[in-house]
Amino acid sequence: MIYTCTLNPAVDYKFNLENVNIGKLNRVENANFFAGGKGINVSIVLKNLGTDSIATGFLGGFTGDFIKSTLKNRNIKYEFIDIELPSRFNVKIKHPHMETEINADGPHISNSKMSELLIFIQEMKKDDLLITGGSTCKGQPEAHGVIAQICHEHGIPFVMDTPGKYYSQFLKYKPFLVKPNIQELGDYYGTKITKVEQAIFYGKKLLEEGAERVIISMGKNGSIYLDQYYIYRSNLIHSKVTSSVGSGDSMVAGFISSYLSDKDTQKAYQFAVAVAQATTFHEGLATYETTMKYYYDVNVKEISK
Amino acid sequence: MIYTCTLNPAVDYKFNLENVNIGKLNRVENANFFAGGKGINVSIVLKNLGTDSIATGFLGGFTGDFIKSTLKNRNIKYEFIDIELPSRFNVKIKHPHMETEINADGPHISNSKMSELLIFIQEMKKDDLLITGGSTCKGQPEAHGVIAQICHEHGIPFVMDTPGKYYSQFLKYKPFLVKPNIQELGDYYGTKITKVEQAIFYGKKLLEEGAERVIISMGKNGSIYLDQYYIYRSNLIHSKVTSSVGSGDSMVAGFISSYLSDKDTQKAYQFAVAVAQATTFHEGLATYETTMKYYYDVNVKEISK
């Protein structure tokens, strides 16, 4: 079974507004709520692609209930650690040419609640796989490292998709896959990456430090896949970007979903790129139908090591 | 029994932020959720003053569940009409010297849901009292008038505390009490009211049009009470305003709570002013303890008719 873990899930409150009139009363119509957070997005995309997963992490309060009901409505299983304080709530305002985000820090997680999650993870099996990432939760700055260590010790393959600052916590525990974007990769190595050659150079470094597979997303420049045998490159199909929110999570879901069924790396990477594009070029997260619009046009080139 | 009715309840999401950086990611700490809406505020203040009430209106979704759990935690009874869409969600941002509000319009209420509420109201008794007001809900522009008519026909005393534009819908049905502020009173009569004499003039007009009792709140200028026998005036005690949110609702709760137990108009008005001040000068809504800090200093003067 695939498990996804979200340490600090969120309800995203989204609406359109020409401008925010500071100090005034602003009225909005058609505001909507969405369940958000990296692991939850991955679980949703996996389900859309026909792959089951169990979502875990911490959930609390009425915002946590909303996230549970969203998963339930999509027939996604979950086993969250219940906390007392409400889960995080983010406000996302879409203006004509930009977006304003107001993100809260989310509830504090006690050591005993963290232990409950770690015990749950320990009980996973060697043929399970854990996909986790995002920022950590308040009170648990080392959570990514501890989770990675436990997975490593128990032989549970895990995918970590986090901001660069967390990489030093978990690379040594040999993640099955990491998926930095070039900004995150640069953050980790204290540099600014602009060229594909640089991305490959630092991607190889991630492999040396412990990652088994690396996908580096580069926005308009497409992406790169690296493992100890292969380097692949794929360009982005040029199309109008609707929203890039969740495209990284879609890439992870796409790779895992395809790889676990076929064990074919190149095919899984091609599928991952198509899923990410389906999320980027359409409203909402990728579905199997939108993914297949892109799959056969995705061009994956092998690059010699 | 006192009933309070909120047609469009809200969850208020409140936090401090120096400034909103438009087009950027803003991070907030210590954001909090509150149950809001006129009738709900009145029920909370009534409970704080030791008076029971039953809250009704429309509630739905996870935001509705939050409001229910807030009432439950405060031992306030409720009998809401359940709707499918989530109840309204408002964002309230407190800057150093001002407040930005982003208010959503709330869910659409069907005629059949409105009928359910009206049947519930019809079953109230002559010795009950209904306190309702605020804006109406989407899809039911005439709700205040219809509720007033039903109360009138069934002999149920009712308090209406609404923006001025609704007054023409319900004055003829003889509300037990209306509580406009001078802005709302001016809106109804298509004029701008700045002086106490004008407020008295238009307050008398409200009595002529059907209101049995009128309280006009005038911000820093205090307030006025009018009925067919008396006119009272009370000045505001000068103190630092913490938040005026809910002070009108507190005034209504204070008047009703005292009047129903003593039937003493002047005492009820004096108490109402103290309750409003307790809300204005302290964090959160008035309690009995904060109210009693002001009660004996409230100066109520009779004005000859």
Side-chain angles (χ1 to χ4, degrees):
Chain A
M1 177 56 75
I2 301 173
Y3 289 84
T4 68
C5 173
T6 312
L7 296 173
N8 200 9
V11 173
D12 291 335
Y13 186 52
K14 296 185 188 175
F15 50 84
N16 296 312
L17 198 58
E18 282 276 315
N19 199 18
V20 182
N21 286 310
I22 304 296
K24 298 273 165 64
L25 171 61
N26 300 266
R27 292 198 177 275
V28 298
E29 291 180 7
N30 303 320
N32 279 300
F33 303 98
F34 298 90
K38 205 161 273 298
I40 286 160
N41 286 342
V42 173
S43 275
I44 292 172
V45 177
L46 282 173
K47 188 75 191 182
N48 287 351
L49 300 173
T51 304
D52 281 329
S53 68
I54 295 173
T56 188
F58 302 105
L59 279 188
F62 76 115
T63 43
D65 288 342
F66 173 78
I67 294 169
K68 283 182 190 168
S69 73
T70 302
L71 294 172
K72 208 169 185 175
N73 290 340
R74 290 173 174 269
N75 277 319
I76 297 168
K77 290 193 187 124
Y78 55 81
E79 291 196 40
F80 283 91
I81 310 300
D82 289 320
I83 54 170
E84 279 194 21
L85 289 170
S87 292
R88 196 157 57 117
F89 192 94
N90 298 327
V91 180
K92 315 240 175 219
I93 311 168
K94 205 165 182 180
H95 313 293
H97 301 290
M98 52 186 176
E99 231 176 74
T100 302
E101 291 188 60
I102 305 173
N103 286 4
D105 54 356
H108 182 274
I109 302 298
S110 67
N111 290 341
S112 77
K113 287 291 170 185
M114 190 68 211
S115 298
E116 276 189 56
L117 180 66
L118 296 177
I119 290 167
F120 180 78
I121 291 172
Q122 269 178 30
E123 288 169 359
M124 292 177 191
K125 299 181 189 69
K126 285 186 205 319
D127 56 355
D128 290 335
L129 181 134
L130 174 67
I131 302 172
T132 185
S135 285
T136 190
C137 42
K138 211 155 78 175
Q140 299 299 333
E142 303 293 330
H144 292 303
V146 180
I147 291 171
Q149 188 179 359
I150 285 180
C151 287
H152 184 64
E153 285 170 7
H154 291 75
I156 305 151
F158 66 99
V159 178
M160 279 265 171
D161 182 11
T162 71
K165 65 176 174 178
Y166 298 109
Y167 273 70
S168 60
Q169 290 184 8
F170 63 76
L171 271 184
K172 57 179 174 286
Y173 299 119
K174 305 201 178 305
F176 178 85
L177 171 68
V178 294
K179 196 220 58 56
N181 58 40
I182 46 170
Q183 163 86 48
E184 289 166 340
L185 185 59
D187 285 350
Y188 176 50
Y189 286 111
T191 184
K192 194 172 157 64
I193 299 172
T194 53
K195 291 183 186 149
V196 175
E197 294 70 31
Q198 283 175 294
I200 292 174
F201 175 80
Y202 286 109
K204 285 179 181 173
K205 272 188 169 300
L206 290 179
L207 295 176
E208 284 164 23
E209 290 195 51
E212 293 181 5
R213 290 162 195 77
V214 177
I215 298 177
I216 303 162
S217 56
M218 304 183 296
K220 282 182 293 185
N221 289 318
S223 59
I224 298 164
Y225 171 91
L226 304 97
D227 64 24
Q228 57 169 319
Y229 306 109
Y230 304 104
I231 303 178
Y232 296 119
R233 166 88 206 275
S234 177
N235 296 317
L236 198 73
I237 294 164
H238 292 286
S239 182
K240 204 176 155 289
V241 171
T242 303
S243 165
S244 62
V245 173
S247 75
D249 307 331
S250 301
M251 199 162 215
V252 168
F255 186 86
I256 295 302
S257 158
S258 173
Y259 187 85
L260 291 192
S261 71
D262 290 341
K263 301 285 185 297
D264 180 329
T265 303
Q266 184 171 351
K267 203 171 148 188
Y269 176 49
Q270 181 178 350
F271 192 67
V273 172
V275 178
Q277 293 190 355
T279 289
T280 308
F281 300 145
H282 295 264
E283 275 296 330
L285 295 167
T287 62
Y288 186 75
E289 288 66 35
T290 54
T291 297
M292 292 317 285
K293 285 188 183 177
Y294 300 99
Y295 179 69
Y296 293 106
D297 292 329
V298 170
N299 178 19
V300 169
K301 253 190 347 204
E302 191 172 344
I303 292 174
S304 56
K305 289 216 79 156
Chain B
M1 177 55 75
I2 301 173
Y3 290 84
T4 68
C5 173
T6 312
L7 296 173
N8 199 9
V11 174
D12 290 336
Y13 186 52
K14 295 184 188 175
F15 51 84
N16 295 313
L17 198 59
E18 282 276 315
N19 198 19
V20 182
N21 285 310
I22 304 295
K24 298 271 166 65
L25 171 62
N26 301 265
R27 292 199 179 275
V28 298
E29 289 180 9
N30 304 320
N32 280 300
F33 304 98
F34 298 89
K38 204 160 275 293
I40 287 160
N41 287 343
V42 172
S43 274
I44 291 172
V45 178
L46 282 172
K47 187 76 191 181
N48 289 352
L49 301 173
T51 303
D52 281 328
S53 67
I54 295 173
T56 189
F58 302 105
L59 279 187
F62 75 116
T63 42
D65 288 342
F66 173 78
I67 293 169
K68 282 181 190 168
S69 73
T70 301
L71 294 172
K72 208 168 184 175
N73 290 340
R74 289 173 174 269
N75 278 320
I76 297 167
K77 289 195 188 124
Y78 54 82
E79 292 196 40
F80 283 91
I81 309 299
D82 289 320
I83 54 169
E84 280 194 19
L85 289 170
S87 291
R88 196 156 57 117
F89 192 94
N90 297 327
V91 180
K92 315 240 176 221
I93 311 168
K94 205 164 181 179
H95 314 293
H97 301 291
M98 52 185 175
E99 231 176 75
T100 301
E101 292 188 60
I102 305 174
N103 286 5
D105 54 356
H108 182 273
I109 302 297
S110 66
N111 289 341
S112 76
K113 288 291 170 185
M114 190 67 212
S115 297
E116 276 188 55
L117 179 67
L118 296 177
I119 289 167
F120 180 78
I121 291 173
Q122 269 178 29
E123 287 168 359
M124 292 176 191
K125 297 180 189 69
K126 285 185 206 315
D127 56 354
D128 291 334
L129 181 134
L130 174 68
I131 303 173
T132 186
S135 285
T136 191
C137 42
K138 212 155 76 175
Q140 300 298 335
E142 303 292 331
H144 292 304
V146 180
I147 290 171
Q149 187 179 0
I150 284 179
C151 287
H152 184 63
E153 285 170 6
H154 291 75
I156 305 152
F158 66 98
V159 178
M160 280 263 170
D161 182 10
T162 72
K165 64 176 174 178
Y166 298 110
Y167 273 70
S168 60
Q169 289 183 8
F170 62 76
L171 272 183
K172 57 178 172 287
Y173 299 118
K174 305 200 178 306
F176 177 84
L177 171 68
V178 295
K179 196 220 59 57
N181 58 41
I182 46 168
Q183 163 87 47
E184 289 166 341
L185 186 58
D187 285 350
Y188 176 50
Y189 286 110
T191 185
K192 193 173 160 63
I193 299 172
T194 53
K195 291 182 186 149
V196 174
E197 294 71 30
Q198 284 175 293
I200 293 174
F201 176 80
Y202 287 108
K204 285 180 181 174
K205 271 189 169 298
L206 289 179
L207 295 176
E208 284 165 23
E209 290 195 51
E212 292 181 6
R213 290 162 195 77
V214 177
I215 298 177
I216 302 163
S217 56
M218 304 183 297
K220 283 182 292 186
N221 289 318
S223 59
I224 299 164
Y225 170 91
L226 305 95
D227 64 23
Q228 58 169 317
Y229 306 109
Y230 305 105
I231 303 178
Y232 296 120
R233 166 86 205 276
S234 178
N235 295 317
L236 198 73
I237 294 166
H238 293 284
S239 183
K240 204 179 156 287
V241 171
T242 304
S243 164
S244 62
V245 174
S247 75
D249 306 332
S250 301
M251 200 163 215
V252 168
F255 185 85
I256 294 302
S257 158
S258 173
Y259 187 84
L260 291 191
S261 71
D262 290 340
K263 300 286 183 300
D264 179 329
T265 303
Q266 185 171 349
K267 202 171 150 189
Y269 176 50
Q270 182 179 349
F271 192 67
V273 172
V275 178
Q277 293 190 356
T279 289
T280 307
F281 300 144
H282 295 265
E283 276 295 329
L285 295 168
T287 63
Y288 185 76
E289 288 66 34
T290 54
T291 297
M292 292 318 286
K293 286 189 183 177
Y294 301 99
Y295 179 69
Y296 293 106
D297 292 329
V298 169
N299 178 19
V300 169
K301 256 193 338 209
E302 190 171 345
I303 292 174
S304 57
K305 289 213 79 155

